[in-house]
Amino acid sequence: MPEPIPHLSCEIRHRLGNLDIDVAFELTHSWTVLFGPSGSGKSTILRAIAGLAKPQHAKIVLRTANSTQTVADTAARINLPPHRRNVRWAAQRPALFPHMTVRENLQYATEIRNADSGQALDLALERFHLTKFADSKPANLSGGEQQRVSVARAAIAANGRPLLLDEPFTGLDAPLRDALLTDLKAWLAVSKTAVLSVTHDIAEAFHLNAEVIKLHEGRIVQQGVAVEVLAEERARLLSQLSDRPSLSSP
């Protein structure tokens, strides 16, 4: 079988404070996770791909079914602004239109102007567990609810373009997080939208059955399937849980 064509090729060298980021990778899987402790460069890499950070050296190429786009190439003096990059992004802090309801925020993303727009939006609201918030404005939502709207809007707008998610569901309880990730993954599969997300949550990476790029101090130490790359972290976590003293009844 021929090798799959990567949907994202990325080389970044960048100094940020005391951190030297030096990474090069290609992505062919439908969902890839940047995994590592705080300060390892995960979010900076995502921001560089989105065009929100300008590395000292970068060569970043995005591919969809219909196009190939070099969004950054230091040697060729290419550095496209974020709005011209063929990628969609949801940051840690949601940036919703405050004067719009949840439904209107999602409507803006869909850019649907036909008779089926209401049905399409109802499906999106249901899939992202937002139906009961449809007529609420962002100020009336919790931080976690706002983040879910932000992720939903980015996912809807992606429609086959690479999607970047920076810790999309941090802070949610595990059952809701897993349900949202399952529904999000199913939604994106329909449009063949590839995802690069950031997390430091082992359970999230395993639940997604994702490819994992493991980072440490700005370097890639391993890339592969979650069960292999995160085997040590998983064993360490299970050991810590088993070593906890059990609570006995008085």
Side-chain angles (χ1 to χ4, degrees):
M1 291 180 62
E3 290 292 325
I5 297 173
H7 54 78
L8 172 63
S9 302
C10 182
E11 297 176 13
I12 295 172
R13 293 197 297 272
H14 184 59
R15 183 168 182 83
L16 184 66
N18 294 323
L19 178 67
D20 280 315
I21 298 173
D22 189 349
V23 298
F25 57 84
E26 292 187 335
L27 304 183
T28 58
H29 289 67
S30 59
W31 199 305
T32 304
V33 169
L34 291 174
F35 180 91
S38 297
S40 58
K42 306 185 299 299
S43 293
T44 300
I45 293 169
L46 224 61
R47 289 174 57 82
I49 296 169
L52 301 172
K54 185 178 180 181
Q56 283 90 31
H57 169 84
K59 185 171 184 180
I60 303 168
V61 180
L62 303 172
R63 297 179 182 87
T64 67
N66 303 314
S67 68
T68 297
Q69 182 188 46
T70 300
V71 298
D73 187 338
T74 309
R77 297 185 178 181
I78 296 172
N79 185 41
L80 298 186
H83 69 275
R84 290 186 55 200
R85 299 193 178 203
N86 204 17
V87 67
R88 293 296 179 264
W89 154 273
Q92 283 182 340
R93 294 184 178 180
L96 304 175
F97 297 113
H99 62 289
M100 293 183 179
T101 65
V102 169
R103 179 184 291 275
E104 289 166 343
N105 268 278
L106 299 189
Q107 173 71 59
Y108 181 85
T110 62
E111 297 182 353
I112 296 173
R113 296 295 182 268
N114 56 42
D116 295 328
S117 61
Q119 182 178 356
L121 285 170
D122 286 341
L123 178 61
L125 289 164
E126 180 182 353
R127 183 58 63 93
F128 293 103
H129 301 223
L130 293 169
T131 302
K132 66 181 180 180
F133 307 118
D135 298 320
S136 299
K137 292 186 177 179
N140 297 319
L141 302 177
S142 70
E145 290 159 357
Q146 290 181 31
Q147 182 67 350
R148 284 155 57 186
V149 179
S150 177
V151 172
R153 190 175 64 179
I156 293 168
N159 194 32
R161 303 174 183 89
L163 176 61
L164 310 176
L165 301 176
D166 196 351
E167 301 200 48
F169 300 126
T170 296
L172 296 183
D173 62 86
L176 178 57
R177 177 205 62 198
D178 290 350
L180 288 166
L181 286 172
T182 297
D183 285 349
L184 176 59
K185 190 173 182 180
W187 174 279
L188 296 173
V190 174
S191 58
K192 297 182 179 179
T193 296
V195 181
L196 177 62
S197 66
V198 162
T199 189
H200 56 262
D201 188 328
I202 297 172
E204 185 175 314
F206 272 86
H207 181 79
L208 288 165
N209 192 28
E211 181 182 47
V212 175
I213 296 176
K214 184 178 176 181
L215 293 169
H216 180 68
E217 295 183 351
R219 304 294 197 275
I220 297 174
V221 294
Q222 197 173 355
Q223 179 174 351
V225 295
V227 291
E228 295 176 359
V229 175
L230 300 180
E232 290 184 10
E233 282 79 3
R234 184 173 184 271
R236 188 180 306 116
L237 179 62
L238 292 174
S239 176
Q240 291 172 350
L241 291 174
S242 63
D243 288 343
R244 287 182 180 179
S246 59
L247 296 177
S248 57
S249 301

